[in-house]
Amino acid sequence: MKPTRPHDVRPARPHDVRPARLSRWWLAAGVASVLATLVLGVSLGPVSLPPAAVVLELLGLESGLDEREAAIVTQIRLPRVLLGLLVGGMLALAGGCFQGVFRNPLADPYLIGIAAGAGLGATAAIVLRLDNSIMPVFAFLGALLAAVTAYALGSARNLILAGVAIASFLSAIQTYLLQRNVDTILEVYSWLLGRLATDGYGDVWQLVPYVAVASIVVLALRRELDVLSVGDAEAASLGLHPQRSRLILLGAAALGTAAAVAVSGLIAFVGIIVPHMVRMLAGTSYRTILPLSLLFGGAFLALADLGARTIIAPGELPIGVVTAFFGAPFFILVMRTSKAVPL
């Protein structure tokens, strides 16, 4: 029997899809969450600063902060918070996109092996001592390899098993590279645990074009994910090209994921937690899920990073530990109730 492909499984009935316009109130809530997280992330830390003064400093107004405090705001904390907003937003957007492309509520960049592919590419760049600007290219090639493999091998029912197999295989290659280049183990290990530490705005500016391109493509095609959810035959009858749409969405989401992984390391579960929370609270249409995932995903990861650098201050937890602490129980919950989660 011919193996089942992701788009051949469980054609949705028309009433399963509930297209809805993005509510201006939910959009306002998403923007407010990003702004509030930005202020909190810059204000709190080993040295706490008054939020009102921080807002004035960010606006370029007279804030009353001394030179040292102003440097903490603009040179140390602000780039880190901005990086968290970009990485979190991209991972959440990619998670929501993969769930629609694969028609599986458990699809996530980490769980289906795409993050592992990006990790292998980034590790290869580190081992080869390439410039940091080249790392996203290597990460994208690895992520694309994993994405295409998952798409080819995994049906909606066994996608996670295929992802585990893909991730294990790629991790084995990664381990071999590290064993052959032991001088890079500490650097790669620190990166694997996930981190948003950044020296200035270099990583932020490096990530911005990738996130911008990936987000524009995914958001521009979000209506097509709603159409694809009713089944390929119905989508084709409406003039859509299902295969082409899936491949474009898959490529864009893999590009954004790879760039995020290249600068932040492997951060799990953001693509599971945020899209599902949005789906449960704001609606099941991808016209709503994807834009709100971008906003709330950024806020979620920036808050997780705030916890990572304050819980054991002056020490710091790897941010991957924080997201896994919340994400693992949430994943179990979604796995147990996935049949009831509409896509």
Side-chain angles (χ1 to χ4, degrees):
M1 180 180 293
K2 184 178 179 180
T4 305
R5 296 177 61 84
H7 49 278
D8 294 328
V9 178
R10 193 179 59 84
R13 295 179 298 275
H15 64 268
D16 288 334
V17 183
R18 289 176 280 163
R21 292 185 180 275
L22 177 60
S23 164
R24 66 181 65 180
W25 299 110
W26 276 111
L27 182 61
V31 173
S33 72
V34 169
L35 295 177
T37 302
L38 177 65
V39 174
L40 282 176
V42 176
S43 301
L44 301 180
V47 177
S48 295
L49 302 171
V54 166
V55 172
L56 292 174
E57 184 67 30
L58 293 176
L59 293 175
L61 303 174
E62 179 58 41
S63 63
L65 299 177
D66 59 35
E67 185 175 346
R68 172 176 168 272
E69 292 172 333
I72 290 174
V73 169
T74 59
Q75 302 302 318
I76 298 177
R77 293 184 183 169
L78 180 59
R80 180 161 180 162
V81 174
L82 290 176
L83 188 63
L85 292 172
L86 287 171
V87 171
M90 189 65 252
L91 292 178
L93 179 67
C97 180
F98 289 139
Q99 288 159 23
V101 168
F102 290 105
R103 298 178 66 190
N104 188 308
L106 302 178
D108 167 83
Y110 188 84
L111 294 173
I112 61 178
I114 292 177
L120 174 60
T123 299
I126 293 173
V127 166
L128 295 173
R129 302 295 184 184
L130 299 178
D131 187 82
N132 285 341
S133 62
I134 303 298
M135 188 184 292
V137 177
F138 273 64
F140 172 64
L141 294 175
L144 191 61
L145 173 64
V148 172
T149 305
Y151 183 77
L153 298 180
S155 69
R157 290 173 180 261
N158 65 16
L159 177 64
I160 303 304
L161 293 178
V164 170
I166 293 166
S168 298
F169 177 73
L170 297 177
S171 296
I173 299 176
Q174 185 179 51
T175 301
Y176 173 77
L177 289 177
L178 291 177
Q179 190 176 34
R180 301 287 294 179
N181 301 270
V182 293
D183 55 315
T184 64
I185 287 179
L186 184 60
E187 181 181 358
V188 173
Y189 183 70
S190 173
W191 174 84
L192 287 174
L193 291 176
R195 78 283 188 274
L196 292 177
T198 179
D199 296 325
Y201 293 89
D203 287 338
V204 174
W205 290 120
Q206 178 181 327
L207 184 57
V208 163
Y210 295 97
V211 171
V213 170
S215 299
I216 289 171
V217 172
V218 171
L219 293 178
L221 298 179
R222 67 189 188 276
R223 290 178 175 83
E224 296 191 10
L225 283 174
D226 281 329
V227 178
L228 289 172
S229 66
V230 303
D232 282 11
E234 291 86 348
S237 69
L238 295 174
L240 193 68
H241 299 277
Q243 291 282 13
R244 184 178 66 186
S245 296
R246 283 194 174 89
L247 290 176
I248 293 173
L249 286 163
L250 193 62
L255 174 65
T257 298
V261 167
V263 300
S264 68
L266 299 181
I267 300 176
F269 296 113
V270 178
I272 282 283
I273 295 174
V274 178
H276 276 285
M277 291 301 297
V278 171
R279 183 179 283 111
M280 289 188 290
L281 295 174
T284 60
S285 169
Y286 285 99
R287 295 169 65 183
T288 295
I289 292 170
L290 295 182
L292 293 183
S293 292
L294 181 65
L295 294 171
F296 286 116
F300 171 79
L301 191 63
L303 285 176
D305 182 57
L306 177 60
R309 55 188 170 88
T310 57
I311 290 174
I312 59 171
E316 183 174 322
L317 287 170
I319 191 171
V321 173
V322 178
T323 58
F325 178 82
F326 292 101
F330 192 88
F331 173 73
I332 294 172
L333 176 64
V334 172
M335 185 173 62
R336 290 179 62 86
T337 61
S338 60
K339 290 183 179 180
V341 177
L343 289 176

